Each structure stands twice: as C-alpha cells, then as structure tokens.
Amino acid sequence: APDSIRITSTGSVELLNGTAVTVDSNHGVTTEGKILVSNAAGGVGINANAATSGDIVVASTGIITVDETYTPTDADNDGDFDGPFATGAGRFGIRTLGAHGGKLTHSGTITVEGNDSAGIWLGGPLTGAFTHDGKTSVVGDRSVAVRADAITGNVRLAGTITAQGQGANGAVFAGDVTGAMVVQGAITSTGYRFTTPPANLSRLDADDLLQGGSALVIEGNVSGGIVLAVPPKDNSTTDNDEDRDGIEDAKEGSAAITSLGSAPAMVVGSNTRAITIGAIAGSGTGFGLQIDGTVNGNGLYSGSDGNGLVIGGRGHAVTIAGGMGIAGTVGASAVGATATALRIGALASVPEVRVSGTVTANGGANAGNLATAVRIDAGANVPLLRNTGTIRATAGGTAAGAVAIFDASGSLALIENAGTISASGATAGSGRNRAIDLSANTAGATLRQTVVASGAGPSIVGDVLMGSGNDLVDLADGTLDGTVTLGNGNDRLQLSGDAKALGKVLFGAGDDSVVLSGGAELGSALDFAGGGTDTLTIGGTARFNGSLLNAGTLAVAVNGGALDLAAPVSIGSLNVPSGGTLVATLNQTPGSGTLYTVAGAANFASGSILQVKLGSISNVEGRYVVVHAGTLTGASGITTRTDLIPFLYKANVATGT
C-alpha cells in the first residue's frame, strides 16, 4: 500500500536512468542518505506527481546527485578547458509536476549537471513552507538552481545556491508567495568558466566568457515582504534566539546575492504581470524590502556591465509597500564598462528609499563608461530618498563619468542626507562627477542636509543639478563640494548651522534667494545669470566670502555675519543693519580689491561694521572707494574695524556723494 518513504543515512537509491524516487500518493519522502542518477537524459532524483501531498525533506546528511561523467578538455592546448559546461539536458534534483501539498525542506546537498535543468523545480503551486538550508548547485546552460511557482507559506533561503552556465539563474520565484521571504544564504550565478580572472586573459575563448543569468529573480507577489537578512547582534549570553525566528542565532547566515557577469544580481519584477511586495511584519518601517546583507553585480571581465539590484523596468508595474531599506550593501562594479548598483525601472513604485548602509558603483575607465549608485528610470515613482549611510559612485578613469543619484523620472521630490553622497574619479570640472542629478524634475524638489552628531558632519561631493521647478537646497550641517545648478523657477539656497558650500552656484530664470544663517559659510561664486528678482541675506555669524556674478539687480542684506568680497561687484541694493559686517579688501591693482557698485540704495544703520583688510602689505597707502551707490544713507554711523590691518597702518572711513 502507498506509504511515506525514508532513505536512511546508510541507504541509497542509485540508477543509470529514470527517476530515483516518485511521489504518486499523499505521502512524504525523506532522504538522509544518497540518491544518485548518473548519465541519464532527463534523470530525476525525487519526482512528485501533480495533485499529491506530503512533506519532501532532504536532511543534512542527504545527498541528491543527478550528473554526468562528461568533463571539458583543453582541445586547443591553450591552457584552459574548452567546450560546454554540460552535454546532457532535462535533469532535476527535486521536481514537482503540478500542485503539491506539504512542506519542502532541504538541508543537505543537491548537485545537478545538465543544460535546461534544475536543482529544485516546483512546477506547480506548493501549499506549505519552502525552506532551503543546504547546498544546491547546477551546471549547465539555461539551467536554474531553484525555481518555484506559487507558494502558500513562508520562504527561507539559506545555505548556498549556485548556478553556472550561459543564461543560468540562481533562484527564480515565478509565482506568488503568500508569506514572507527571508534570504540568509549565498546565491551566486555566472556564465564564466573562471570566477577569478586568470593572469593571462588572452588565452580565454568565447566559451569561457558566457553571460549567466541573475542570482535571485522575484516575479510574483510576496505578501509578507522580502528580507535579505543577517544574524542578529549577540546581546545576550543566555538567549540563543534573540530575533525569535525559531532558528538559533549562531546557525543563521548572511544574505549574499552575487552575479558575476552583466545580468543583475537581483531582479524584482515580471515581464507578464504587475506584482506587489507587501510590508514586512514587525519591522517598524512598513517597508516591503529590507536589505541587511549584500547584493553585488560584478561584470568581472572587460566590457561586461555590472548591475546590482533592479526593481521594475520589465514592462509591468512593481509596487514595494512602504518603500525599501538598505542597511547592508548594494554594489556594482565593471571593467571597461558601465556599473549600476541600484536601478528602479519604469513602472516601479517605491515610496521611500532609505539608505543606512552602503550603495556603491565602480565603473570602467573609458569614455562613455558610467558608474551610477542609484538610478531612477523614467516612468518610475520614488518620491523620497533618505541617506544616513554612504551613496558613492566612482569613475574608473578621468575620461569616464560618475553619478551618485540620478532621477530620470522627475518624481524624486525630497532627498535628505545625513551621511555621504559622493561622485568622483572623472576630470574635475568636467561635469561628469554628479553627486545628485534631479534635472528631470519640473514640479520642484528639495535637497536637505540635516544636522548630525558633532564630529560626524554629512557631505555631498560632486555637482548637484536641480530641475526647472521651485527648488530648495537646504544645508543645515556638513559640506557641499561641487557646482550647484538651479534651473528655472523660484529657487532657494539656504545654509545654516555650520554648513559650508564650496562650489559655484548657478541660478536660472526666476526669483531666487540665498539665505545664510547660524555659522554657515559660503565660499563660492553665486551666478544670477538667469535674471529675476534675486536676494542675498546674511545673518547670525554666517559668512559669504565668494563672488557675485551677473548680480546687477541683486538685493543684498547683511543682517549679521559678514559679506566679504575681494573683487569689484555690481549689485541692485545693499542694506547693512546694526551688527552686520561689510568686509573691504584694499588693493591698488586695477580690477582687484573691494568695490560695491550699487545701482539703487545702499543703507547703513548705526552700529553696522566696515572691516578693513589689505590685499597686500606694500604700496597700499591711498584713498579707496569701497561703496558707490545711487543713494547712500547712514554711512556716518558705520563702525570701522581695523584689527586685520598691520599696526603700521591706519584707516579712516569718509563718506560723500
């Protein structure tokens, strides 16, 4: 009569063809021993017929091997193997032919060699949890280590999963998961024969450099969200399961999703239907995707792009409930090619991207090679990005380019930075080091750098491009080192706290304003070439010691702090209340030294300050005009400070018309 099957640790089923174990009734199968099918076309280790039920278990001592004796040879005597990875086809370690009821638990070792083959292939819905704690590897073109249809139950992917061959994928979930998906193991895919480049690359043939598929592909709904997890911190010497997931913390691994080749390491999205990734229970964030481990796409060989995580962009909508968090690492690297760490494609909706870990891209050195840490494609929807970690793009050479954050969708309305956003490696001043590019935004965007703990100031390194709407760049802490381009619109630049901006700021058409407060410092050029009714306001102890360009209609108010311009400038109006400081650098060289030519009124309140300093200590005696205005009022109430002048000299202020 039908019954459950158990292969003990000393037992085995070994065949030269066919299927080793068939589930054709509502009974389970457990193997603690060996299942071997060798050199069989279409060989299967465990095969479950459609509409059956029963748990399928591969214990930690269980081994399923469906392989062949074929071994590649060095046919051309060039020092490396030639030929395909495998010659047989249609082989499976575990396969279900349709709907199956029961849990599938794998803690042992599954090895499959064959094209169009699989380590585990669920050909229909599985009603029961899917748990992978063992080792599954497959070698062969177009093969997949783990492939699942719909699953009613939680999914756990731990241990190791590897796939090698042209178009070979690590793990593919083609159906819906009614439950949570937790990854705590290493999943790797590649089409390369050598995953460490040999010393002599010239010996490599085309069959050594095939492109594999992705390591992890999720094409269905996941109702309980996706976590790429790591073991919890060990905060107790007596509690072995501090995260309460039913697994001893010491036995938990770290998620490591890796693609060696141009295929993305991880893909979320379908080319046949819209999908939704639900919120992770008990996370506190409400995010649908949390990456605490690593996702890494490495092109490895010259000319192959590197791609880390791709969400959407496959022709159908992808919705990530609440957004996504990156506390681990998402990365991409390439040699002589383009690298993109995180790409959010068309029709993807991610309400928030929160980075507390690292997102990095390292691109090639050639002209046209681009390293992009975060890319949001046209047609995507990502309104908010918060960073307390590191988002970095590095060009491999001065002729290449780097972009830390690029939004082609125009949807990114707010970036909050309390960490590091950096783009570097390209020629300085070339415009190819872009920290943030929001130029596609037409509705108005805000870039805000927030206050952090003392000694840990945030930073933005590289150019910043804003869009054509009413934009705000608000720096409350840290530094911004790069050219800021503000497009048409009524744009605002605000610096407060101890923030510093070191690069040029370009304003487009519109009524623009610059406000410096606290102890902020702006040491770059402000260019108001776009025209409009523009204002510059300085308060607190802030200091502007850069330059003003195309500022003929600019209204300047020095309510506090200091305005320190060491070259002649034309402005629209000047107002210096009590406590405001105007710094004048005296210099006999034509075109040098301070001269404020004010088209309108220049107003000085009693208690306003003129601080005088020398551009040179030789040949400086003389009379200098530092303010020339259409209307000058209150100059007699100016307090003169000469503490920056050597004691050999004296300075007095005279007023007149």
Side-chain angles (χ1 to χ4, degrees), residues 398 424-433 463:
T398 56
S424 63
T427 300
S430 66
R432 297 194 304 275
N433 293 315
D463 298 340

Side-chain angles (χ1 to χ4, degrees), residues 85-439:
F85 288 103
T87 58
R91 295 171 176 150
F92 301 88
I94 298 174
R95 180 176 66 177
T96 63
L97 295 176
H100 184 81
K103 295 180 291 185
L104 196 157
T105 304
H106 167 42
S107 303
T109 302
I110 297 175
T111 304
V112 175
E113 297 176 1
N115 302 311
D116 302 298
S117 300
I120 299 174
W121 180 282
L122 302 183
L126 177 71
T127 303
F130 179 91
T131 303
H132 185 290
D133 276 317
K135 178 179 180 181
T136 300
S137 63
V138 61
V139 175
D141 296 344
R142 301 170 302 280
S143 292
V144 58
V146 174
R147 191 269 184 195
D149 207 316
I151 297 175
T152 302
N154 293 328
V155 173
R156 171 178 161 82
L157 299 175
T160 60
I161 298 172
T162 60
Q164 184 178 28
Q166 186 174 27
N169 293 297
V172 177
F173 290 84
D176 297 340
V177 175
T178 306
M181 179 180 292
V182 178
V183 182
Q184 277 196 297
I187 307 176
T188 305
S189 64
T190 187
Y192 297 143
R193 195 180 302 275
F194 303 102
T195 55
T196 299
N200 188 353
L201 297 178
S202 65
R203 293 184 176 182
L204 296 180
D205 302 314
D207 59 9
D208 299 321
L209 299 172
L210 301 174
Q211 292 299 316
S214 294
L216 177 60
V217 180
I218 298 166
E219 298 179 317
N221 302 320
V222 182
S223 64
I226 304 167
V227 180
L228 273 58
V230 296
K233 293 182 179 180
D234 188 2
N235 297 317
S236 172
T237 58
T238 58
D239 189 346
N240 295 328
D241 185 15
E242 295 184 46
D243 58 357
R244 298 294 181 267
D245 62 355
I247 303 169
E248 289 186 29
D249 297 338
K251 297 180 179 179
E252 297 188 44
S254 298
I257 314 301
T258 306
S259 167
L260 300 177
S262 60
M266 180 175 173
V267 175
V268 181
S270 171
N271 57 13
T272 61
R273 64 187 180 110
I275 68 169
T276 297
I277 309 301
I280 302 164
S283 65
T285 62
F287 291 162
L289 174 60
Q290 179 65 41
I291 299 174
D292 295 331
T294 64
V295 178
N296 186 46
N298 188 348
L300 197 63
Y301 290 98
S302 181
S304 291
D305 293 340
N307 293 284
L309 169 60
V310 175
I311 300 173
R314 304 187 70 190
H316 293 268
V318 177
T319 301
I320 308 292
M324 64 178 293
I326 302 174
T329 299
V330 176
S333 56
V335 178
T338 289
T340 306
L342 170 60
R343 176 186 163 210
I344 301 176
L347 301 180
S349 178
V350 184
E352 178 183 347
V353 175
R354 186 180 301 179
V355 179
S356 57
T358 303
V359 182
T360 59
N362 296 282
N366 302 329
N369 294 164
L370 183 63
T372 305
V374 178
R375 176 184 174 88
I376 304 169
D377 286 347
N381 181 38
V382 183
L384 171 60
L385 188 153
R386 287 191 172 102
N387 176 53
T388 58
T390 299
I391 301 174
R392 177 180 290 117
T394 306
T398 56
V403 185
I405 301 171
F406 175 62
D407 174 30
S409 72
S411 66
L412 187 53
L414 173 61
I415 296 176
E416 288 188 350
N417 180 48
T420 298
I421 300 173
S422 171
S424 63
T427 300
S430 66
R432 297 194 304 275
N433 293 315
R434 287 176 287 161
I436 298 170
D437 188 343
L438 303 182
S439 56

